[in-house]
Amino acid sequence: MGQNKATYDQNPTFRVKGEFLTWTGFEAILNELSSAVLKLNKANAVLVIEGYPGVRMELIKQALENHFTEAELIFADKFALSGEEIRRKFDMIITEDRVFGRMAPITLEDYFEKERLAELRLKVAHSKKPLTIIYGTGASLAAEADLTVYVDVARFEIQKRMRSLEMGNWNDTNVDEDILRKYKRGFFLDWRAADRMKVSLFHKIDYYIDDNSLNQPKMLKWSDYCLGLTEMLSGPFRFVPLF
């Protein structure tokens, strides 16, 4: 017999034991990152903020510009392929089908022309500011970071943003495109490349930011995040229902 809809928990949570520091909101998060940079005690520090495709990067851009007024801010997405170039380069993977594409071992580096990626790296290397911040999807390709932050968002939330016409696919202007075509490209292309990048950064990430709630990003140390996952995996847990 099915459980009563009124009593079914559609947003299950898992309470982690122990004390973990968290920061909520751009002001608290950026204050903590400023402190972390100062602790590096380095003349030319490099902060990399890698973002999953679908993160509200424009809000992060505004927050960084308001807070780090003396830093060199470099938006990695500007050096990547445009939406039209992505569609042209990966058309055999995206296909003309409304739903089905092709799986391929695509990486985020494939979204950057060699010359443009070299230009991005050169821009970072020639920065004279005491702090250089590279942010965006693929930001970690630009330099070896002194401090790495990963900004994440759930795929279900990305789909909601696509359906509401808030955004299209990464670095594209296809906001009004059919939702199934946008989802298909994420599933077969953008998200696959971003997942590979995320895994490659596991040993480098210092802070993890959850970007699922509008104007309420939440951050914790990556080591604490991993401890929480380890604890959760030690027993039964439930996912948020999708269908």
Side-chain angles (χ1 to χ4, degrees):
M1 187 172 179
Q3 189 169 358
N4 188 303
K5 185 178 179 182
T7 60
Y8 183 79
D9 184 5
Q10 297 188 48
N11 293 286
T13 58
F14 184 90
R15 186 172 294 277
V16 179
K17 298 174 184 176
E19 296 294 327
F20 298 100
L21 283 174
T22 59
W23 297 268
T24 300
F26 286 116
E27 184 177 358
I29 287 172
L30 297 182
N31 282 337
E32 169 58 21
L33 293 182
S34 293
S35 298
V37 168
L38 285 174
K39 289 175 184 175
L40 293 172
N41 195 25
K42 194 169 181 182
N44 300 103
V46 175
L47 167 61
V48 163
I49 303 177
E50 179 74 41
Y52 200 83
V55 164
R56 289 187 172 107
M57 200 54 69
E58 186 58 35
L59 295 180
I60 293 174
K61 175 179 180 289
Q62 293 171 8
L64 289 173
E65 288 175 347
N66 291 335
H67 186 88
F68 291 103
T69 55
E70 301 299 320
E72 178 83 37
L73 298 176
I74 303 171
F75 188 27
D77 296 45
K78 287 187 175 181
F79 295 82
L81 297 174
S82 66
E84 183 180 347
E85 291 170 325
I86 290 170
R87 289 192 296 272
R88 190 163 58 244
K89 180 175 182 177
F90 300 119
D91 63 331
M92 291 295 291
I93 298 170
I94 298 172
T95 76
E96 289 299 319
D97 191 274
R98 186 182 180 215
V99 177
F100 295 106
R102 293 185 175 93
M103 290 293 188
I106 299 299
T107 67
L108 278 185
E109 195 161 349
D110 293 317
Y111 285 79
F112 292 80
E113 299 239 349
K114 288 183 179 179
E115 295 78 10
R116 293 286 281 159
L117 187 54
E119 182 184 347
L120 170 60
R121 289 169 174 166
L122 204 60
K123 188 174 177 65
V124 176
H126 287 176
S127 174
K128 303 299 182 184
K129 299 289 183 70
L131 173 62
T132 301
I133 302 175
I134 314 108
Y135 64 100
T137 302
S140 51
L141 296 171
E144 192 64 38
D146 297 302
L147 201 66
T148 299
V149 179
Y150 195 90
V151 189
D152 212 355
V153 59
R155 289 188 187 177
F156 182 61
E157 175 61 25
I158 298 172
Q159 291 177 62
K160 286 166 62 178
R161 296 175 188 183
M162 287 179 168
R163 287 183 185 278
S164 68
L165 304 185
E166 178 185 343
M167 61 177 60
N169 290 102
W170 173 55
N171 233 31
D172 208 337
T173 57
N174 62 332
V175 175
D176 296 322
E177 190 174 15
D178 174 13
I179 178 60
L180 291 182
R181 290 186 181 277
K182 288 193 286 188
Y183 175 82
K184 177 192 73 170
R185 191 165 121 197
F187 184 87
F188 287 99
L189 200 65
D190 302 344
W191 302 340
R192 299 295 168 183
D195 287 345
R196 293 183 179 104
M197 173 63 81
K198 186 194 297 187
V199 172
S200 75
L201 292 174
F202 276 4
H203 67 292
K204 296 181 179 180
I205 300 172
D206 297 291
Y207 292 92
Y208 178 86
I209 296 178
D210 179 328
D211 180 55
N212 285 287
S213 299
L214 179 61
N215 291 324
Q216 281 295 304
K218 301 173 181 65
M219 185 176 78
L220 74 166
K221 291 183 179 179
W222 175 249
S223 55
D224 288 344
Y225 179 73
C226 292
L227 284 173
L229 286 180
T230 301
E231 186 178 331
M232 186 177 76
L233 292 170
S234 66
F237 62 90
R238 275 205 313 120
F239 289 109
V240 173
L242 178 60
F243 298 106

